[in-house]
Amino acid sequence: MILTPDPQTSHSGPRLPIRALRPDAVEPFLATADTPTAASVRMQGFTGQASAVVLLHGPNGCSGALLGLGDRPTQATFGDLHAKLPPGAEWSLLPGDYDPGQAWLGIALGTYRFERFRRPRPPLPRISVDHAPDRARHLASAICFARDLINTPANHLGPSDLADAGTTLAERYGAAVRRIRGAELEDGYPAVHAVGAGSERPPEVLQFNWGSDSSHPLISLCGKGVCFDSGGYDLKPSAAMLRMKKDMGGAAITLGVAQAVMALNLPVRLDVRIGCVENSVSGHAMRPLDIIRTRAGLNVEVGNTDAEGRLVLADLLADAADAKPHWLIDFATLTGAARVALGPDLPALFSNDDALANGLLAAGTAADDPLWRLPLWQGYESWLDSPTADLNSVASKPFAGAIIAALFLRRFVPSGTPWAHIDTYAWNDSTRAGKPEGGEAQALHATFGAIEALASVSTTKRP
């Protein structure tokens, strides 16, 4: 995997200062500056507006820079700072009226590059942030790890490769790892096996447990890890396949959340599962109208072979629920319907538990990693009826596709288990501040924040 960008790597030479100013601090700064500097800043129209950068000049060239914070700094305020500074210099963001953790995340995520398969580009400016907390550093590392996985092409990241990456992560933090393959997978996770049966690269389930204190809440995380989705016999058009290397984005986000939790040693227990498969076309692939068995004992009629992710999650959720977790959360690039409803930047959240949903929504708002809750609308439940099996994998109606997928998954979550399903795009279509084009770990920061808040409350209540 590519090394995570680190804006605070040691510097060999002097650093040029960057002073970050809110609008009401600009004039007091200029009042103390020398006359040429004040005149230059005013001439360039700098008023402290968010993300605006002005270079300061001295007798030997550039002597520093000003960064506008605006009235409400966010990660994005710092996300394209590197692009506005001259290359070849080393910089230091001076302490100021901003959150250093937010600044660290914005700079680190903005300077992320996936360069495993291309010649190195010229180095970016190096920007240090004093007093950045470990939380921000570990979150940046986890998000970039997930981005690396999503950006890796399918010929270099098949099911076993994805499981390898998860295994390496789990073992780094002393987690107990299981990899379920072959006959054991076919017997214990028959829906996962059916989805992956068409590929020469066999499917598997990676499962690991971390944390042993039974007084800590148990958090179960499940991720859809479809390393490439051709659509199966219901073959996708070529344009729709162009980004299907990212169909394992749910698994990448799952592993990223786990990495952040373990790295920061939160007082929780983790139970993690990712279904690692490839949805291909062959004589062994599942067909439309096939009926497949699931781990929960329900028989599912395959209404469309391109609706494979919900079959993978069905087995994972049924297995995870057996441990009676405090929270059960799954992540998946599941439906185009969620993108039609909410666009690429808002993952759809479904939940059977208001406390869990509200925790995720609040953490997402605080982290500028938003989610939007959609309903598990009971009136559409009958749309999953099948004349030949316990249920169909899709509805016969062309409406509410994201809700239908969530209702399907709910069939595999026992009543009383707090569960959230996050239907995410896991991709940036273009480069924006802090969000380079390519794989994106949407909902990772939000989910980590919600788990962190739960852990804090649980620890406070302990005798």
Side-chain angles (χ1 to χ4, degrees):
M1 285 298 127
I2 307 304
L3 293 175
T4 300
D6 185 347
Q8 203 158 330
T9 298
S10 60
H11 295 253
S12 58
R15 302 171 181 174
L16 296 174
I18 305 170
R19 188 181 300 273
L21 300 174
R22 291 183 185 248
D24 60 4
V26 174
E27 282 303 321
F29 167 76
L30 294 179
T32 64
D34 60 75
T35 300
T37 295
S40 174
V41 171
R42 288 194 174 99
M43 184 178 65
Q44 294 178 71
F46 180 79
T47 61
Q49 61 271 41
S51 301
V53 172
V54 167
L55 299 179
L56 305 178
H57 299 283
N60 298 315
C62 185
S63 62
L66 300 181
L67 167 67
L69 292 174
D71 294 319
R72 182 183 174 271
T74 67
Q75 285 180 41
T77 305
F78 306 89
D80 62 356
L81 176 58
H82 65 280
K84 299 172 181 177
L85 298 174
E90 296 184 345
W91 301 81
S92 177
L93 185 62
L94 300 179
D97 190 11
Y98 64 89
D99 179 348
Q102 204 171 54
W104 174 279
L105 278 166
I107 293 169
L109 299 183
T111 54
Y112 168 87
R113 287 175 168 183
F114 183 72
E115 296 188 320
R116 180 175 171 184
F117 301 102
R118 62 174 298 162
R119 293 175 181 172
R121 288 175 281 183
L124 296 172
R126 307 292 304 192
I127 308 168
S128 69
V129 181
D130 291 335
H131 311 301
D134 286 344
R135 181 185 189 275
R137 301 183 192 189
H138 287 302
L139 272 169
S141 177
I143 291 168
C144 291
F145 169 61
R147 286 175 171 180
D148 278 346
L149 289 173
I150 298 168
N151 283 324
T152 303
N155 62 324
H156 291 272
L157 190 79
S160 65
D161 303 302
L162 178 58
D164 286 345
T167 299
T168 299
L169 171 68
E171 291 178 344
R172 186 192 314 158
Y173 293 99
V177 181
R178 290 180 63 224
R179 292 176 68 160
I180 300 97
R181 297 174 272 207
E184 183 183 7
L185 182 80
E186 185 174 4
D187 180 61
Y189 302 83
V192 177
H193 176 268
V195 170
S199 174
E200 293 183 353
R201 302 192 289 185
E204 62 177 283
V205 168
L206 169 69
Q207 188 270 332
F208 63 85
N209 294 97
W210 176 85
S212 58
D213 189 332
S214 61
S215 69
H216 293 165
L218 176 63
I219 309 298
S220 286
L221 306 174
C222 297
K224 171 190 171 184
V226 178
C227 295
F228 190 83
D229 180 19
S230 70
Y233 275 105
D234 289 306
L235 195 68
K236 292 179 183 290
S238 58
M241 283 197 218
L242 287 177
R243 289 181 179 153
M244 281 302 101
K245 69 176 184 179
K246 78 175 180 69
D247 213 25
M248 39 60 64
I253 295 166
T254 299
L255 293 176
V257 173
Q259 175 176 316
V261 168
M262 293 187 295
L264 284 159
N265 199 28
L266 294 189
V268 299
R269 291 173 292 147
L270 288 180
D271 184 16
V272 177
R273 288 169 179 79
I274 58 173
C276 309
V277 300
E278 181 174 43
N279 187 22
S280 297
V281 183
S282 75
H284 300 289
M286 63 180 178
R287 297 160 290 263
L289 302 187
D290 279 0
I291 295 177
I292 63 173
R293 181 173 59 89
T294 65
R295 183 181 180 90
L298 294 172
N299 291 314
V300 176
E301 181 181 17
V302 178
N304 189 307
T305 62
D306 195 22
E308 82 299 332
R310 66 198 69 185
L311 300 175
V312 173
L313 287 174
D315 278 356
L316 301 184
L317 290 170
D319 187 22
D322 286 345
K324 302 188 184 310
H326 190 92
W327 283 353
L328 173 57
I329 306 173
D330 76 73
F331 307 85
T333 51
L334 206 65
T335 67
R339 308 287 69 78
V340 171
L342 299 175
D345 294 340
L346 274 178
L349 167 66
F350 297 87
S351 182
N352 62 3
D353 184 89
D354 287 344
L356 170 54
N358 291 337
L360 287 165
L361 292 170
T365 298
D368 294 309
D369 186 21
L371 301 162
W372 196 268
R373 191 176 184 184
L374 295 180
L376 289 162
W377 188 250
Q378 190 66 32
Y380 299 155
E381 188 80 35
S382 63
W383 293 10
L384 289 167
D385 289 348
S386 165
T388 56
D390 295 312
L391 73 164
N392 202 303
S393 61
V394 298
S396 59
K397 302 177 188 292
F399 308 114
I403 296 175
I404 295 301
L407 289 172
F408 177 89
L409 294 178
R410 189 174 69 171
R411 298 282 188 98
F412 299 88
V413 178
S415 176
T417 299
W419 161 67
H421 160 57
I422 297 175
D423 188 338
T424 178
Y425 190 50
W427 193 263
N428 296 316
D429 288 322
S430 61
T431 295
R432 292 163 291 161
K435 298 178 181 294
E437 182 178 352
E440 187 56 272
Q442 293 172 325
L444 190 161
H445 196 168
T447 305
F448 174 83
I451 295 172
E452 184 180 44
L454 173 69
S456 175
V457 170
S458 300
T459 301
T460 302
K461 289 182 177 180
R462 291 179 67 185

